[in-house]
Amino acid sequence: MVTERARRQYLDAMGINLWVARHSLPNALASDLPALEEASEQATGSLDHHQRLHALIDEIDHSEAPTPGAEVAESPPHDPTPPARSVRALLDIGKSEEKRSDAASVEKAPAPVAENKAAPAATKVENSVSRAPHEPLRFSLQVGTLDGRWLILLARDEALSTQEETLLNAILYAGGVQPAADLSCQRFGWPMMEGLPVDDALDEARQGFKAFLAGRRARGWHPERLLLFGQLPVLEEVLDVHDGQSRVLDLPLWQGPALESLDEPASRRQLWAAMGEWRTWWQAPSQTQDGHDH
């Protein structure tokens, strides 16, 4: 069962800040929420969000190991249905019970029905990734921003080396993009937690990536354009890329060759030809400064 304590820790590990009242209001009823101890910065400071989420899952799974008599004592008598432990339940916190029951009914639907519904979509999207029903999408990438305005996506799992970071910053500078600080990327991997049931793999992956970006708005991330280096069909499906636009994020998208392919002259020529509009885009007034946040 996803307890209130675990829910808050999941959201904190995903980078989504929570406001928690520290003092009771006058004449207020006593709160039934458990008190949470402050997390140690020394223990979690060196871990990224992906590692912290997996550590939390391991901790919860270990604490939920069955013990004699414990299962009967802890199960609520008034609710015979088991609580949902799914990615949608963690992302859609605060939704109505009706929506949760709908998600449960989809999860219990026969596999042939799900396959029949997915077949037409696979014929429309050429780069759709085949997967088994109720299996999560799996992908990882490097993510960073330029002054919070441009979202930089690298279709690769491994972090950039110092030489590659220098190369990418030099490419941006050559294209007329001069941010206040050099680009620094971090890894995003999906699924963030293993072992959870899946209702709609594509929708949950999209909501998870959007939640990741929303958790960084407090750090000044207000992207108005996407730059994708490399090709990753599952990522392009998650972003719903069509005609130079990510329809999921409602942002224009530029796509170029992967950094590791720039050893070939053809890739360098392709990149140089595609960089022509960078300077114009970068010098355009920032939409976030005009109050049009995405």
Side-chain angles (χ1 to χ4, degrees):
M1 177 179 180
V2 179
T3 63
E4 176 65 17
R5 178 177 181 273
R7 183 183 73 84
R8 295 183 184 180
Q9 289 181 324
Y10 288 154
L11 294 178
D12 178 70
M14 291 173 67
I16 301 176
N17 298 324
L18 288 178
W19 181 87
V20 180
R22 299 299 180 186
H23 303 283
S24 301
L25 295 175
N27 301 322
L29 294 176
S31 174
D32 57 350
L33 296 179
L36 297 180
E37 65 275 11
E38 294 292 337
S40 173
E41 295 183 358
Q42 296 179 353
T44 61
S46 60
L47 300 178
D48 59 21
H49 297 303
H50 181 76
Q51 294 171 325
R52 291 172 61 187
L53 282 169
H54 279 286
L56 285 173
I57 286 295
D58 294 339
E59 176 185 348
I60 296 300
D61 289 343
H62 178 74
S63 64
E64 291 180 353
T67 57
E71 183 177 355
V72 177
E74 295 180 357
S75 60
H78 62 279
D79 188 3
T81 59
R85 290 191 64 191
S86 65
V87 176
R88 184 181 297 280
L90 295 176
L91 293 175
D92 296 340
I93 293 171
K95 299 281 185 166
S96 63
E97 291 296 330
E98 180 180 358
K99 176 140 186 195
R100 294 185 182 180
S101 63
D102 292 341
S105 64
V106 174
E107 183 179 352
K108 296 179 181 178
V113 176
E115 292 176 354
N116 292 337
K117 291 182 178 180
T123 60
K124 294 180 181 179
V125 183
E126 295 181 357
N127 61 355
S128 295
V129 180
S130 60
R131 52 188 174 273
H134 305 302
E135 284 293 327
L137 290 179
R138 299 185 182 277
F139 64 96
S140 59
L141 65 153
Q142 296 290 324
V143 187
T145 61
L146 298 174
D147 291 352
R149 293 177 51 194
W150 285 13
L151 190 64
I152 308 299
L153 308 179
L154 305 176
R156 53 186 285 171
D157 178 75
E158 64 276 8
L160 293 176
S161 65
T162 303
Q163 183 178 4
E164 289 175 324
E165 285 187 354
T166 303
L167 172 62
L168 182 54
N169 285 310
I171 290 173
L172 294 169
Y173 185 83
V177 181
Q178 301 181 12
D182 288 341
L183 176 68
S184 178
C185 296
Q186 64 184 96
R187 180 184 183 276
F188 174 83
W190 187 264
M192 286 186 169
M193 291 164 285
E194 296 287 350
L196 296 179
V198 176
D199 298 330
D200 188 334
L202 180 57
D203 181 65
E204 289 173 2
R206 288 172 174 173
Q207 296 301 325
F209 189 64
K210 291 171 69 175
F212 168 79
L213 297 180
R216 275 140 188 81
R217 292 179 67 87
R219 305 182 185 180
W221 288 32
H222 300 278
E224 58 194 44
R225 183 174 296 275
L226 302 178
L227 267 65
L228 173 59
F229 290 87
Q231 293 184 342
L232 188 60
V234 63
L235 175 61
E236 296 171 23
E237 186 180 5
V238 169
L239 296 176
D240 194 8
V241 177
H242 286 277
D243 299 327
Q245 186 85 5
S246 169
R247 297 193 292 192
V248 168
L249 300 179
D250 192 22
L251 293 174
L253 182 142
W254 174 96
Q255 186 170 10
L259 290 182
E260 51 269 25
S261 70
L262 295 181
D263 293 337
E264 303 176 0
S267 294
R268 292 197 296 270
R269 288 193 296 268
Q270 177 188 355
L271 175 61
W272 184 255
M275 292 166 50
E277 296 183 277
W278 281 8
R279 185 185 302 273
T280 302
W281 293 342
W282 184 256
Q283 294 177 352
S286 174
Q287 296 181 9
T288 58
Q289 293 178 359
D290 295 338
H292 301 290
D293 294 349
H294 291 285

